[in-house]
Amino acid sequence: MNSSPRSTPASIPDDASSGAPRDARRPGAHASGPHTGSSPARPRKDGSRPAEPHAGRNPAEPPASGAGPARPHAAWLPEAAFAAVGRRRVAIRGDGALVGTVAAEVATATATHGGSFTRLESGSGVFDADLVLTIAEDDADPQAPSSLAAAPHAASVDHTISGDHAISGRGNASTARNGVVATDGVVDGRDTTGEEDDESFRVSREDGAVVVEAACDRGLLYGFFHVVRLGEAAFSGPDLVERHAPATALRMLDHWDNVAVHEVMGQVERGYSGGSIFYDHGRVRTDLSRVEAYARLLASTGVNRVAINNVNVHAREARLLTDDLPHVARIAAAFRPWGIRVHLSVSFASPITLGGLGTSDPLDPAVARWWREAADRVWAEIPDFGGFVVKADSEGQPGPFAYGRDHADGANMLAEAVAPHGGLVHWRAFVYDHRQDWRDRSTDRARAAHDHFAPLDGRFAENVIVQVKYGPMDFQVREPVSPVIAAMPDTRVALELQVTQEYTGQQKHAVYLGRQWSEVLTFDFAGPDGDRAALPPTSVAGIVARSGGIVAVSNVGDDEFWTGHPLAQANLYAYGRLAWNPAADPTALLDEWIALTFPGAPADVVHTLHEVLDESWETYERYTSPLGVGFMVRPGHHYGPDVDGYEYTPWGTYHFADRDGIGVDRTVATGTGYAGLYPQPWASVYESLETCPDELLLFFHHVPYTHVLHSGKTVIQHIYDTHFDGVERVERFAAAWDGVAAALSDDGGHTGPGHAPRPGDTAHAGADTAGADDGRAGPGRTTPAGAGSGARLAARVSERLAEQLRSAIEWRDQVNTYFYRKSGIPDEQGRTIF
Ligand code: GCW
């Protein structure tokens, strides 16, 4: 059993330097509000439409006057990604704030690419357009294109989370000829918390004309981006009817951004992408256009909640809850047009530090009153505020333990304060003793969250969500899925992932995490034999989607490319898409990201991007800590190898390597008993050496170096082989990138920030010639304004790959040498070990 952590502040030495240059400070312009509409333009002979004047502008785009080189990269929403929609006659009908957002997007796209758009009055009946985006109307004419759909939730859906596949023959009455219904995954076919607006939408295509219909404006926004993602494919192929809905109502990103630059952790704790988009050296930024651009990117992937400050709430940050509320309101206003609600991380000691009370005891009526009044003030300022995120009694953060109370006492007191406003409390389960004695073999950090939280199941208030990291330790490259997720059936449980690559290469290494998250989400507590793609209620996705949702720590900063490593954008993209549809194929999502971000890129560039990223998670695993044992990183900043870095520290992260063997005995029979925290059959699967999967062997067992894995290799030979192979893979990635970098460098268009067409910008003008919209500056084309961003992106990736290779070699040599010296067993292949 773990003792309660003490509440002295954690001091984490950190000599990490930020992974990205700090020069990316010039934000782009932002959308100027809903477009008022225009009439459809007459088609040209080639089917395209002439451009029209417009008022809207994509927030990631620079002002027309042109900005310096540090304009934020357009990421997966460059202008060219809107070509298919922008070339068409688009009609929008309906009310709601977010309909205005969609209208502004369509106005920009059609003006750029030569289409047209019309904003229709509610009630207008038949209209002629290639794409209709409409809010469902109760009295609609059943024959009109806009009323192809009945109520979006009318389709019956299995009691499972379904993947993004079409379910034949289950559609409701429809005029479409080949009626099919697709769902991205709705549990029981309904919004599972009842708290959100209906976010679903229905898409139908008849003779190439597409209708997107949604009950609410949020659904229309998601439906619009769905069509953008599909590009031309949205308008071709057989007629169909599909319904799409998110698997879970709560799809959230947490920021670990500090308002003041923390002396150890900097502006963004575990941030590898420059400064914060919200704060700058003690202030909330005045110019939030970068936040608006970010909100737009997130909305296009389906994220709908953002917590804007670090869960380690220091003195300056605590005041976001009080003095800074007007600024928080400004941030909320930047997110609002994109359907995203803002949350704050709060300090449990706020009644003392901000309120001047003598205590923050959750059972003290004065404390409860202080929180109620604080919540009232927040919601008075921000009526759609989301709620509070709390890290309590963890790594030095204050919490209820100081008063002999437990986590349910603490969370429920806050829950009561926010309940009148429909607010949520995200209470983190990342609680362990970070002051343990390495000599004490009975304390197991992996058990801690379960030991603290499972006994509290059923005691948390309705609006408390217990937020659980995917693994029992701390975002390692490989961990078993946390047993806490299945241990609290009467509690709303959210899954927490880490998009910021703290332990996975810090955005210096190209590591696509979509495959890891997919493995976690599809893990079935009922056993290994189920159909992973079906995501039953016993799967991680099935459990969290029901009521808790999915949360991740963001990887974004004020860097030109948003994420330091430009290819780390793929992680942010895949996170949003997987939170919407946990059954999605992560490799397909990667390809989707590549296609959107590098539209029109030559095949070898596309191929290389795929090669570098697709199995990069497994590659990183190969050259770092083996077989699930974890850590072996430099303490404090967590970058680079240090096999014994944590071995004698109080943090509880050990590998126990000696001359004979390695690994942590977490069995029930002879170890810490952690394996027994899983339901059957997993408890037995992990308990037994015969059945424990190789990749988790050292997490669950201490074995001799000569232990033979299921793969047929000994543990020691596996360590050598994977480390040599991991480096060879990175060498191949770097060489492949070198081969295509020039293709990107020649080309400012498709990788650069989107920009409005300007006279002389022939690569974009008109965009009505096949291929012209890809922005490639080939022979005879004028290099578009913004040229050079492709070169900068290529150079940034090259520089990062060089560092990845250097670091991977260091990992390989330190890990191999360490285990060769410990074990004395040579490499079968006689390769160089030091
Ligand atoms: O992974 C650890 C990080 C801390 C972080 C903590 C947490 C915000 O090293 O920097 O603190 O997890 O999740 O609270």
Side-chain angles (χ1 to χ4, degrees), residues 91-94 118-122 124-125 127 132:
I92 299 180
R93 186 181 66 180
T118 311
R119 186 106 187 236
L120 299 158
E121 297 299 321
S122 290
S124 28
F127 35 84
V132 177

Side-chain angles (χ1 to χ4, degrees), residues 667-668 674-688 691 700:
T667 63
V668 176
Y674 169 83
L677 303 181
Y678 287 86
Q680 291 295 3
W682 288 110
S684 302
V685 167
Y686 292 141
E687 177 79 12
S688 156
T691 49
F700 285 101

